[in-house]
Amino acid sequence: MDAACASGAEDLIKFGLPTGRKSKILEPPSVPFSQPDYLRGLVDADGSVGFMTHRSVPFISLTTSSAALKDFFIASCPRLTGAPRGRRRNERDRVFNLLAMREAAVGLAQELYYEGCLAIPRKLDAARHVKDWVRPPDMGVAAERRAWTPAEDDIVLRTTIADAARTLGRTEQSVNVR
């Protein structure tokens, strides 16, 4: 390794990049950095930008085995666009598959893939298309999911499905699944 490479590697280590296998232990820098640029780098390296189901639903995704990067992505996204899906490790690979769709993907694409940014060309092109997406008039908006509380669980266990649904303001299907 020449002196310039050694100096660059030492700088990366000084800024918090661990040595050795990084997939599970990688975390965001410990020094000030550009959040949109860092997130774009994560998506460019280990994510996808595009459309599902014949270009009808835009998405941006990130796959990581690092809990710290998962937490950083999730913590960053609500401020930008709304919370992504995929907060738990999948069973097969034990990785996090984070996913932002529809308006959340549009907002994330606008924030991360701004004019003049450095990005992988094919992902930059896909992000341009995602940014142009507008929800079709016939595409409904799903209600926001509410987390279950221990008090709600208690009601579900003590009453009938119909009574619990009425009391909690939830659907019978939701109560039944719970």
Side-chain angles (χ1 to χ4, degrees):
M1 182 182 313
D2 66 15
C5 287
S7 174
E10 289 168 8
D11 286 342
L12 290 173
I13 293 168
K14 185 170 58 177
F15 290 134
L17 186 66
T19 58
R21 286 187 60 95
K22 296 167 189 57
S23 60
K24 290 184 181 173
I25 61 170
L26 196 59
E27 54 188 41
S30 56
V31 297
F33 63 98
S34 169
Q35 182 174 309
D37 294 332
Y38 185 76
L39 285 173
R40 184 180 59 257
L42 293 175
V43 170
D44 273 4
D46 293 321
S48 295
V49 180
F51 288 83
M52 298 177 184
T53 62
H54 308 293
R55 299 187 52 87
S56 63
V57 178
F59 74 93
I60 294 181
S61 69
L62 173 67
T63 300
T64 182
S65 58
S66 165
L69 288 184
K70 181 261 310 181
D71 291 342
F72 173 76
F73 189 82
I74 289 172
S76 299
C77 288
R79 195 176 55 104
L80 301 172
T81 62
R85 295 182 180 187
R87 297 168 183 262
R88 294 190 202 113
R89 290 186 188 275
N90 72 23
E91 290 297 318
R92 186 187 73 199
D93 304 320
R94 306 300 302 153
V95 297
F96 301 100
N97 294 305
L98 303 163
L99 179 66
M101 298 186 314
R102 298 180 186 86
E103 287 84 1
V106 172
L108 195 54
Q110 289 169 342
E111 187 74 21
L112 302 185
Y113 292 90
Y114 55 86
E115 192 62 39
C117 72
L118 178 63
I120 293 175
R122 65 183 168 77
K123 291 193 179 180
L124 181 59
D125 185 53
R128 286 185 184 123
H129 293 291
V130 167
K131 288 191 275 187
D132 291 339
W133 183 81
V134 175
R135 179 182 290 269
D138 61 339
M139 181 183 282
V141 179
E144 191 172 318
R145 291 183 177 178
R146 288 188 336 215
W148 286 86
T149 66
E152 289 176 319
D153 286 340
D154 188 50
I155 291 170
V156 169
L157 293 171
R158 289 186 297 111
T159 63
T160 66
I161 291 172
D163 287 343
R166 269 192 305 281
T167 302
L168 300 173
R170 294 182 179 264
T171 64
E172 288 188 21
Q173 180 182 359
S174 173
V175 171
N176 188 41
V177 168
R178 186 65 179 177

